[in-house]
Amino acid sequence: MHTAIYVLTSALLVGAMVASASRRFGIGVGKAVGRVARRKHLTPLLFAAALTLSITVSLAIWMPRPRLHDEFSYLLAADTFAHGRITNPAHPMWRAFETFHVLQQPTYMSKFPPAQGFFLAVGQLLTGLPLFGAWLAFALACAATHWALLAFLPRRWAFTGALMVMLHPVVFGWIQSFWGGSVSLLGGALLLGAFRRLLEKGTGRTPCGPTPTARKRDALLFATGVLLLANSRPFEGLVLTILIGASLLLLSLRGHDLRRMAPTLAILSGAAVAIVILIALYNRAITGNPVLLPHILYQQQYGIAPYFIGGRITTIPAYRYEVMRQFHMHNEMGAVLAQQSLRGVLMATVAKLDIISRAAFELPLTLIPLFPFRSVMILWIPLLALPFVFRQRFWDRWAYGILLVNMSVLFLAFWTQPHYWAPVVPLFTFIWIQSLRQLRLMSRRTTRVGSKVATFLVLVVPLAFLVNVHAISFGYPPEWSGAVVRERMMAALKAFPGKDLVIVRYAAEHDPNFEWVYNDANIDASEVVWAREGEASANRQLMDYFRERRMWLLLADERPPRLSQYR
């Protein structure tokens, strides 16, 4: 199978490069895309295509398993919501279940915002498979991106942009885990598309602009985008919401449309109040305080490192387990200590730019003979035309300005990951497509080189997607094999009648990034319970509480991990 994919991708890329050298081919691709883009109901079709693609790759190529701390925490939220609860009561033996990114007191729940867990819960309820919720969020995000781009671009270019997002290896990779990215991408797309439509003056629906019904719909979609962002990536979502909300108000004032916008602003104000109330109720249920986020409470209980540059390092908590002390004092603190000077901040900013640029512009092309490197940064090429784009259209300058301000604020955080930037993916896609269009337009005045380059770039993303799928088929690298071992061990234990308690023992050199102790929402009802080995008295209390279960000791750092009866 791997050889077949290798031959197929190589042949397709060689054929694409040869064909793109032809003048007619570039025109032919444009016409083909244009014909597809003119079809009615294309947004629902993109949703169906993205959902089918997600399911097919996961079921036929590789089914992801939870492996990172964050993923298990989101799965706890999903299991809680799927059972109709906002949170879970604290367990009497909660000290044995302490783990990363999970609150144990005053209630037992994930520290993360609820949107990702909600989608995973939908998947669990509909199919018994939480990952289906991630597939669903990805499909909705791709469809919403197309809908957003339609507000800024001609049909065929909006379709091209949505297709690039759907097949981009990094974006598609978000459904290969449980920690998300697609939900905040969906929120950002709804926010951007609704914003642009709310400012329309003449759309064909009426001579003077959208109908009142359309405005109410767009205002509700705007609010939905804000709700999703506030409950998936609160900081990044807040920054984008403020920037776009301020743009909506200022552009309405500039166009003397404030009276026409008054009903819309009233809807948005009411929605903002409702969102704040919902978040306050959620906080109160978990932390007991309407203004205390679970994320902040977890930080107060376990964290040391501040989130943002200039923040204060807190007092070291009294950790019960060495693995948690190692993670919070060393793994998290490394980035903070490196950014305590101006030189450190500048070096870290360069590193963050590198992470984002590689995520946006790199394509995996390892299997293709013409590209001997592991990956190639070629998607930046259209940005060469940016100076010419800015001279022509207001919306291009606006989008680039919003993106730059957003980036400068987000770099105040000590850490960055590609999925932190998911809310601005539609905005970035708009800039990239506009640059691609300008590249083709400039070539018409001189030669067809720009058109050929644009055609090649549009074709190389699907080819890189195939290479990415090939890489996915190998599964996890050796260092993450514990994710598969844990799943197989649970299946083996569940195959026998009765319930089990697995007490986990780590070696002194254990890497805190590889964790075994995570549990379902209802610990007592779980077939397999995972607990930490503590002091002798704590272990006796734990075993007395679960005395009706089989007792196992897991030596997690042996190769392979070894399970034996606890004595």
Side-chain angles (χ1 to χ4, degrees), residues 33 90 178 286 325 353 387 460 462 469 495 497 511 542 554:
V33 172
F178 296 83
I286 296 173
R325 188 188 71 83
L353 281 169
V460 80
V469 169
D511 186 342
L542 181 68
L554 174 67

Side-chain angles (χ1 to χ4, degrees), residues 435-474:
S435 302
L436 198 67
R437 292 177 69 194
Q438 184 63 31
L439 192 66
R440 295 182 76 249
L441 182 63
M442 291 165 59
S443 72
R444 292 177 182 174
R445 298 169 185 168
T446 53
T447 66
R448 290 280 178 184
V449 174
S451 182
K452 295 169 187 175
V453 171
T455 301
F456 170 74
L457 290 173
V458 169
L459 288 173
V460 80
V461 174
L463 295 173
F465 174 80
L466 290 176
V467 177
N468 181 52
V469 169
H470 171 80
I472 289 171
S473 68
F474 285 103

Side-chain angles (χ1 to χ4, degrees), residues 398-414:
W398 172 85
Y400 192 69
I402 293 293
L403 192 61
L404 282 180
V405 174
N406 185 85
M407 183 179 296
S408 63
V409 176
L410 264 54
F411 278 171
L412 294 175
F414 282 114

Side-chain angles (χ1 to χ4, degrees), residues 269-486:
S269 300
V273 172
I275 291 170
V276 170
I277 292 173
L278 286 173
I279 293 174
L281 291 174
Y282 183 78
N283 292 342
R284 183 179 179 184
I286 296 173
T287 68
N289 186 338
V291 298
L292 181 60
L293 295 169
H295 207 296
I296 301 300
L297 179 59
Y298 178 89
Q299 183 70 6
Q300 292 174 356
Q301 293 178 352
Y302 297 101
I304 305 170
Y307 294 133
F308 303 105
I309 294 171
R312 185 173 60 88
I313 298 174
T314 60
T315 305
I316 300 174
Y319 294 110
R320 270 173 280 273
Y321 301 100
E322 176 64 17
V323 65
M324 297 196 72
R325 188 188 71 83
Q326 285 286 337
F327 178 78
H328 289 290
M329 287 191 62
H330 297 283
N331 294 45
E332 285 191 341
M333 282 296 294
V336 175
L337 295 176
Q339 299 178 62
Q340 295 302 304
S341 65
L342 179 60
R343 182 175 180 272
V345 170
L346 292 176
M347 290 180 64
T349 301
V350 172
K352 294 170 190 175
L353 281 169
D354 183 63
I355 291 172
I356 301 308
S357 63
R358 288 183 179 276
F361 301 125
E362 266 195 1
L363 292 177
L365 296 169
T366 313
L367 301 180
I368 301 169
L370 297 175
F371 294 96
F373 306 104
R374 183 184 65 85
S375 55
V376 183
M377 292 184 65
I378 57 177
L379 293 186
W380 61 269
I381 295 174
L383 302 186
L384 294 173
L386 269 180
F388 301 94
V389 173
F390 294 153
R391 294 189 307 182
Q392 298 180 25
R393 297 188 64 219
F394 164 78
W395 287 114
D396 302 308
R397 296 190 297 273
W398 172 85
Y400 192 69
I402 293 293
L403 192 61
L404 282 180
V405 174
N406 185 85
M407 183 179 296
S408 63
V409 176
L410 264 54
F411 278 171
L412 294 175
F414 282 114
W415 302 276
T416 192
Q417 293 289 341
H419 68 283
Y420 294 5
W421 298 78
V424 296
V425 166
L427 199 64
F428 184 83
T429 304
F430 167 65
I431 293 172
W432 192 82
I433 290 292
Q434 285 292 72
S435 302
L436 198 67
R437 292 177 69 194
Q438 184 63 31
L439 192 66
R440 295 182 76 249
L441 182 63
M442 291 165 59
S443 72
R444 292 177 182 174
R445 298 169 185 168
T446 53
T447 66
R448 290 280 178 184
V449 174
S451 182
K452 295 169 187 175
V453 171
T455 301
F456 170 74
L457 290 173
V458 169
L459 288 173
V460 80
V461 174
L463 295 173
F465 174 80
L466 290 176
V467 177
N468 181 52
V469 169
H470 171 80
I472 289 171
S473 68
F474 285 103
Y476 295 140
E479 63 267 24
W480 291 106
S481 60
V484 180
V485 175
R486 186 182 189 274

